[in-house]
Amino acid sequence: MNANVTKFRKDHTINWWLTAAIAVLSLTVLIPLYFTIVTALKTPAEAGTFSLPSSWRWQNFADASAKVNYPLAALNSAIITVAAVVLTLLTNTFVAYAIARNMDKKFFKFLYYFFIAAMFVPFPVVMLPMAKQMGFLHLDNQFGLIILYMILGLGTNLFIATGFIRSIPVSLEESARIDGASTWRIFWRIIFPLMSPINATIAILTALWAWNDFLLPLIILTDQSNQTIPLAQYVFSSQFATNYPMAFSSYLMAMAPILIVYVIAQKWIISGVMRGALK
């Protein structure tokens, strides 16, 4: 009995050095977050210090919402984010399935490495040609922005999904083909449901990217009525030059929705990436 207890204690020994390192590193996030929150609730005269505000100015959030037209910007961000997630799931996963099941063919292997290589091309290199092309095609709007999120995320999504699909037994598909199922039906009825962990990961990563992105909306969107939250905050930044509490209030309002989504779904992000990389 004592031997079993001793063995249990050894197996569950806490690594205090690692715990201390994590605690110290967490301060790099917690301290700026604390500074943002307390600054958002101060007067302009009190901004710039780590002390708590003398009076809690919740009115800063209402003023910031009015300044950046938060309801419209949030609606634009939500439309672009949801559409980008749906379109990405409907297309990228099917491309990943086609490549994963044909990796023995040179053409599909070339496509796989081509899309993966695109991940390493610096965005500033293609930024100007991309903006010119989208303007020429009259896609300098929300629809064009959604298309770009779908295309530019293909390399990362292929890397995550292809390994997982190849771990799914081909015998499942062969049995379905014997029953007369087409490739299209096999994918949507068998493969796509089995990809739920990977689909969740792709959806969350795409949502985080589309909601927080600043550069793509800046170079693509030409109509100010279509601007997203990060872009709206940039347009009105000159008004916040001496009013940091109002600026920080707008940052917190922009961060809150996607932060809640991430906190709820972070376990699917980690598990999905690990499954895609290891399988």
Side-chain angles (χ1 to χ4, degrees), residues 256-267:
I258 204 66
L259 181 62
I260 294 173
V261 172
Y262 179 78
V263 169
I264 295 174
Q266 60 179 329
K267 62 179 180 180

Side-chain angles (χ1 to χ4, degrees), residues 109-169:
K109 183 175 290 188
F110 167 78
L111 284 181
Y112 175 75
Y113 288 111
F114 174 79
F115 288 126
I116 295 298
M119 296 169 54
F120 301 96
V121 177
F123 182 73
V125 174
V126 298
M127 181 173 64
L128 184 58
M130 185 181 298
K132 292 289 186 181
Q133 182 180 11
M134 299 302 285
F136 177 77
L137 297 174
H138 302 288
L139 290 175
D140 48 350
N141 48 39
Q142 290 181 333
F143 179 72
L145 188 60
I146 294 168
I147 295 296
L148 286 179
Y149 284 130
M150 176 195 70
I151 296 173
L152 296 178
L154 183 58
T156 303
N157 297 335
L158 277 179
F159 179 76
I160 295 174
T162 302
F164 183 82
I165 294 174
R166 296 186 69 182
S167 70
I168 300 176

Side-chain angles (χ1 to χ4, degrees), residues 96-113:
Y97 171 66
I99 291 178
R101 286 295 184 250
N102 294 278
M103 282 292 284
D104 57 326
K105 300 177 182 178
K106 292 183 179 180
F107 175 71
F108 287 93
K109 183 175 290 188
F110 167 78
L111 284 181
Y112 175 75
Y113 288 111

Side-chain angles (χ1 to χ4, degrees), residues 1 3 21 49 52 66 72 96 104 106 110-111 135 143 148 151 176-177 186 196 202 220 223 230 248:
M1 182 69 179
T49 64
L52 294 174
L72 178 61
D104 57 326
K106 292 183 179 180
F110 167 78
L111 284 181
F143 179 72
L148 286 179
I151 296 173
R177 291 187 190 279
I186 289 173
S196 295
I202 293 174
I220 299 300
D223 188 353
F248 281 40

Side-chain angles (χ1 to χ4, degrees), residues 48-239:
T49 64
F50 282 88
S51 60
L52 294 174
S54 58
S55 61
W56 301 85
R57 288 182 55 87
W58 299 100
Q59 183 64 29
N60 289 337
F61 290 92
D63 294 341
S65 177
K67 288 289 185 180
V68 301
N69 197 358
Y70 181 81
L72 178 61
L75 177 62
N76 291 334
S77 291
I79 292 173
I80 292 172
T81 300
V82 172
V85 168
V86 172
L87 193 59
T88 296
L89 287 178
L90 293 178
T91 57
N92 290 13
T93 53
F94 194 75
V95 173
Y97 171 66
I99 291 178
R101 286 295 184 250
N102 294 278
M103 282 292 284
D104 57 326
K105 300 177 182 178
K106 292 183 179 180
F107 175 71
F108 287 93
K109 183 175 290 188
F110 167 78
L111 284 181
Y112 175 75
Y113 288 111
F114 174 79
F115 288 126
I116 295 298
M119 296 169 54
F120 301 96
V121 177
F123 182 73
V125 174
V126 298
M127 181 173 64
L128 184 58
M130 185 181 298
K132 292 289 186 181
Q133 182 180 11
M134 299 302 285
F136 177 77
L137 297 174
H138 302 288
L139 290 175
D140 48 350
N141 48 39
Q142 290 181 333
F143 179 72
L145 188 60
I146 294 168
I147 295 296
L148 286 179
Y149 284 130
M150 176 195 70
I151 296 173
L152 296 178
L154 183 58
T156 303
N157 297 335
L158 277 179
F159 179 76
I160 295 174
T162 302
F164 183 82
I165 294 174
R166 296 186 69 182
S167 70
I168 300 176
V170 182
S171 58
L172 294 176
E173 301 172 42
E174 294 175 346
S175 300
R177 291 187 190 279
I178 293 175
D179 294 335
S182 63
T183 301
W184 186 260
R185 187 180 183 88
I186 289 173
F187 175 76
W188 291 113
R189 293 296 182 90
I190 299 177
I191 304 299
F192 193 79
L194 291 176
M195 292 178 61
S196 295
I198 299 300
N199 290 338
T201 302
I202 293 174
I204 294 165
L205 293 178
T206 304
L208 290 172
W209 177 28
W211 183 272
N212 295 319
D213 189 30
F214 169 76
L215 196 54
L216 267 181
L218 177 65
I219 66 174
I220 299 300
L221 298 178
T222 56
D223 188 353
Q224 285 195 357
S225 63
N226 292 331
Q227 62 188 1
T228 59
I229 291 180
L231 197 58
Q233 291 173 335
Y234 171 76
V235 170
F236 290 95
S237 61
S238 61
Q239 299 182 24

Side-chain angles (χ1 to χ4, degrees), residues 238-255:
S238 61
Q239 299 182 24
F240 299 149
T242 57
N243 196 339
Y244 292 104
M246 189 182 298
F248 281 40
S249 299
S250 69
Y251 300 153
L252 288 175
M253 288 191 296
M255 180 182 66

